[in-house]
Amino acid sequence: MATAKDDVADADGVTLVQKMLSATTGSVLTSLLVTPLDVVRVRLQSQAHVPTPAPQRPSATLVAASLTNFRDLHPNIGITTCCREVFWSSNAAPLCVAGPTVAPLNPADALCAVEEVERKTINSTWDGLRKISQNEGLPTLWRGLSPTLVMTIPANVIYFAGYDWMRTAQASPFKRIVPDAYIPLVAGATARILSAIAVSPIEMFRTRMQAATHTATAVGHFRETMDGLREMVADRGVRSLWRGLTLTLWRDVPFSAIYWWGYEYGRNAITDARGRTQARSDGSEFRVGRGEERIRRRSRSRSRENHTETLVDSFIAGAGSGAVAAIVTTPFDVGKTRQQVMHHTKAEVGSVAKALRPEEQTMPRFLWHIFKEQGASGLFRGWTARCLKVAPACAIMISSYEVGKKMATRVNERRGRLREDAEVS
């Protein structure tokens, strides 16, 4: 995002307020577009893992009892394949139901257990989008949008404005102690630590609200989430609102380091490619340059970009680096989500069982538990939804921020010229 061109922009008067407005605009657009994917991700990562048992042949006694019960049922209930997977007799029962065999039985009440489980279980990103919208209503996909906006706007203001300052300002301590090639990595990680600490309680509320499934109304979800948070604070204290912050930092700090490093590299590569193309069309020689010369060349090139070029370049670089960073850090995202949606029941608080819960363990032990229980697929559960969310979110956010800064630069340049004209006259 930030490059040497920002030194010129700062000199032209891109103020902190203007950067904050750019970050806010990007935050709103991003939240509206990617919140459904975030809801699916949370559901995927927080739903219970039920291992599929190996099918076993029922005993002769069970077969006889089942056949006796089947004779007493309505003759027009019919046979369904899914029921045979649960209730079967030599794989050729004349009919099959899930539920008590009490006559008279309405065929409409004979619900197959497998179908019911399948209806509620999310197997993939698109499956989650479909099932949540069908079973719980389309607005459910935007559940938690309000706390998302309350969390995202200040987080991104701290994150982007902080990164910008640490990356480009001459007063930044990183300018003196970190090589220029590694400043994006260090500045991005530091900015993320600050923003994560500031908004961790809001993210806790949002995550638990998105995972809530016990009530059918928005007010009910809000009340359920608030009751859960009140119980948690009463049992664990205010510091429990930062539960999962360690895992959040384990996820977000390396994510930000990888993202900004990859973004700067990608943006520079795109700028150089455009410079080579322009040099060929002009019949001139393209010089990559070294050190300050290369920085100044890229700065001049980006200062001549129009809004469309800035939008496309930052969008491509942001999406690519965001996708890579999202895949690498998915295990930490899984651990963070599972820890934050853990229910604190009164029966477990203060009990020995509570100390033995996997979610209560340290991050490495907890992730190792997930790996032993579910394998690598458990650690990377929801990675598709995460990438589908993070890649466009990063692209939209960074491109909105960059275009907003460029617009502010142009506005400030016009204001400067008007002031100069007024002074001359």
Side-chain angles (χ1 to χ4, degrees):
M1 179 193 76
T3 60
K5 81 181 181 61
D6 290 321
D7 292 335
V8 178
D10 290 340
D12 287 340
V14 178
T15 65
L16 179 62
V17 172
Q18 290 172 327
K19 292 179 180 179
M20 291 170 62
L21 290 175
S22 299
T24 299
T25 302
S27 299
V28 173
L29 293 175
T30 302
S31 299
L32 289 172
L33 291 174
V34 305
T35 293
L37 295 170
D38 202 35
V39 171
V40 174
R41 175 190 64 82
V42 171
R43 292 289 186 88
L44 269 171
Q45 294 177 351
S46 60
Q47 70 182 359
H49 172 68
V50 181
T52 303
Q56 297 180 353
R57 193 176 187 83
S59 64
T61 304
L62 178 60
V63 170
S66 299
L67 289 174
T68 301
N69 290 332
F70 288 154
R71 294 190 190 101
D72 298 331
L73 297 179
H74 195 284
N76 296 323
I77 291 179
I79 302 173
T80 60
T81 302
C82 66
C83 282
R84 281 182 175 176
E85 298 176 6
V86 182
F87 303 95
W88 59 286
S89 300
S90 300
N91 225 18
L95 49 83
C96 175
V97 296
T101 56
V102 179
L105 180 65
N106 187 340
D109 297 332
L111 298 178
C112 176
V114 173
E115 289 178 349
E116 181 65 13
V117 171
E118 176 64 21
R119 186 181 73 86
K120 295 180 179 180
T121 302
I122 298 176
N123 301 308
S124 66
T125 301
W126 303 117
D127 185 55
L129 291 172
R130 177 178 61 84
K131 288 180 177 177
I132 292 175
S133 59
Q134 288 179 353
N135 300 328
E136 304 178 43
L138 193 62
T140 305
L141 292 174
W142 279 269
R143 181 183 296 165
L145 179 60
S146 297
T148 295
L149 290 174
V150 172
M151 177 192 74
T152 302
I153 290 175
N156 281 336
V157 167
I158 297 171
Y159 184 42
F160 283 83
Y163 172 83
D164 236 357
W165 183 85
M166 288 182 282
R167 173 71 178 90
T168 64
Q170 293 300 322
S172 170
F174 301 138
K175 282 286 188 180
R176 296 186 295 273
I177 61 177
V178 180
D180 187 72
Y182 297 100
I183 288 181
L185 189 150
V186 179
T190 304
R192 176 55 70 188
I193 291 173
L194 297 175
S195 63
I197 292 174
V199 302
S200 184
I202 306 175
E203 186 175 13
M204 167 73 78
F205 177 85
R206 182 198 62 164
T207 301
R208 293 174 69 103
M209 187 173 183
Q210 289 177 338
T213 58
H214 297 154
T215 55
T217 63
V219 175
H221 286 298
F222 183 86
R223 184 180 296 111
E224 176 187 342
T225 305
M226 288 300 298
D227 290 343
L229 288 178
R230 275 196 293 268
E231 291 181 9
M232 184 179 68
V233 172
D235 294 331
R236 301 291 185 91
V238 177
R239 292 181 60 183
S240 62
L241 292 175
W242 279 265
R243 165 177 293 276
L245 177 60
T246 301
L247 280 173
T248 298
L249 294 177
W250 270 95
R251 178 198 67 180
D252 288 355
V253 171
F255 175 90
S256 296
I258 296 169
Y259 169 73
W260 286 113
W261 205 11
Y263 174 78
E264 295 289 356
Y265 178 85
R267 187 76 191 280
N268 289 337
I270 295 173
T271 300
D272 292 346
R274 178 176 286 112
R276 291 188 182 92
T277 303
Q278 185 65 37
R280 282 197 299 268
S281 64
D282 296 340
S284 58
E285 180 183 1
F286 178 78
R287 289 178 52 84
V288 176
R290 299 181 63 181
E292 291 296 328
E293 179 186 359
R294 181 167 51 189
I295 294 176
R296 286 193 296 269
R297 176 185 58 77
R298 289 170 176 165
S299 176
R300 288 193 300 269
S301 176
R302 293 179 189 180
S303 66
R304 293 192 293 266
E305 290 177 354
N306 56 38
H307 293 330
T308 301
E309 291 172 340
T310 299
L311 176 65
V312 171
D313 291 2
S314 56
F315 191 95
I316 293 173
S321 60
V324 173
I327 293 174
V328 172
T329 58
T330 294
F332 302 110
D333 185 58
V334 172
K336 179 190 74 69
T337 301
R338 285 186 55 174
Q339 188 182 58
Q340 287 186 324
V341 300
M342 181 181 62
H343 294 292
H344 300 270
T345 60
K346 293 182 178 179
E348 292 170 331
V349 173
S351 65
V352 177
K354 183 195 70 171
L356 299 177
R357 297 185 71 169
E359 290 84 354
E360 296 288 338
Q361 298 175 0
T362 61
M363 188 233 358
R365 290 180 179 273
F366 181 38
L367 297 184
W368 177 244
H369 166 80
I370 296 175
F371 179 76
K372 289 193 299 183
E373 182 184 65
Q374 304 175 34
S377 62
L379 288 176
F380 287 90
R381 177 180 292 181
W383 73 268
T384 304
R386 177 164 162 77
C387 287
L388 287 175
K389 171 207 169 184
V390 170
C394 289
I396 295 169
M397 185 65 221
I398 192 62
S399 56
S400 300
Y401 184 67
E402 290 282 18
V403 171
K405 287 202 306 178
K406 180 171 283 292
M407 293 174 63
T409 299
R410 299 288 170 82
V411 169
N412 293 339
E413 288 175 350
R414 286 196 296 269
R415 288 177 178 174
R417 287 193 295 268
L418 290 174
R419 283 196 299 267
E420 291 176 358
D421 295 340
E423 292 175 358
V424 170
S425 61

